[in-house]
Amino acid sequence: MTPAETENGPGAGEPREVGVGPHPQPWPADPRLDPELLAHGDRRNVEDRFRYWHREAIVAELDTARHGLHVAIENLEHDANIGSVVRTANAFAVGAFHIVGRRRWNRRGAMVTDRYQHEFHHPDAEHMIAWAREHERPIVAIDLVEGSLPIERTPLPADALLVVGQEGPGVSAEILAAADLVVGITQFGSTRSINVAAAAAIAMHSWILQHAEIPAGPLR
């Protein structure tokens, strides 16, 4: 069982317990439900519609509505931002995320959301590029370099493989050279760059605005 998660509610500053306790009996006859979670409660970082579900059942349900977008993150320096990128990819129902470089990556920022995503590993940039070519996925590098186009005004391919680099060095030269499209996020302040996890979130949301079906009513 995962420990209870808490978050600060508005006003009082008191931590608010996330999730639900044990399910009252009799339990529903639903094969998607986990007896352990029904008995002890579900404190996982999942939407309410998935409370008490097996992880496999959640993944199967998400697979029915994942977006065509894939996201790749270069893992050359064990960047702590990778987990945050994966968490955002889960929030936007990205089809899969790719780790380029070291197989092991810092999962802490993912808040366990990686368990509900499909993960690919590429030992190096060459391998990722070959995979993208084989699967006919346009490589879209996210970086502020000479010639990069403003993402706010650039159509993104529906089946794009968005690539973000490491904090500091950005996307590697090999991937930039192979990219079908290089886009950057327009900035107006004094800093020359923004955090890579923030950049990845903006890039994914830009794709969502172009390709996803946005609900017309309230989100909650």
Side-chain angles (χ1 to χ4, degrees), residues 69-74 125 128-129 132-133 137-152 154-157 159-166 169-185 196 199-200 202-204 206-207:
L69 176 66
H70 281 210
V71 175
I73 314 112
E74 292 196 89
M128 188 214 77
I129 294 166
R133 299 292 184 251
R137 282 192 172 270
I139 298 172
V140 180
I142 313 299
D143 209 344
L144 275 178
V145 295
E146 188 69 28
S148 60
L149 301 174
I151 194 170
E152 300 85 0
T154 304
L156 301 174
D159 54 353
L161 173 60
L162 292 182
V163 185
V164 294
Q166 296 284 265
V171 178
S172 64
E174 187 174 0
I175 292 179
L176 285 174
D180 300 282
L181 185 63
V182 180
V183 295
I185 297 163
V196 67
I202 292 170
M204 283 184 263
S206 296
W207 186 97

Side-chain angles (χ1 to χ4, degrees), residues 57-110:
I58 296 175
V59 172
E61 180 66 19
L62 292 175
D63 283 347
T64 66
R66 292 191 196 273
H67 291 122
L69 176 66
H70 281 210
V71 175
I73 314 112
E74 292 196 89
N75 184 29
L76 308 178
E77 302 173 358
H78 205 58
D79 195 334
N81 287 287
I82 293 177
S84 295
V85 177
V86 172
R87 183 180 180 183
T88 303
N90 174 272
F92 292 140
V94 165
F97 69 91
H98 300 242
I99 301 297
V100 184
R102 299 180 182 182
R103 182 178 293 274
R104 295 185 62 184
W105 54 279
N106 192 328
R107 296 177 183 264
R108 184 172 183 178

Side-chain angles (χ1 to χ4, degrees), residues 26-50:
W27 292 342
D30 187 336
R32 298 173 300 183
L33 303 180
D34 185 331
E36 285 292 317
L37 295 172
L38 290 169
H40 301 289
D42 187 353
R43 306 297 180 186
R44 298 173 301 172
N45 180 26
V46 298
E47 290 192 0
D48 288 343
R49 62 184 172 131
F50 294 133

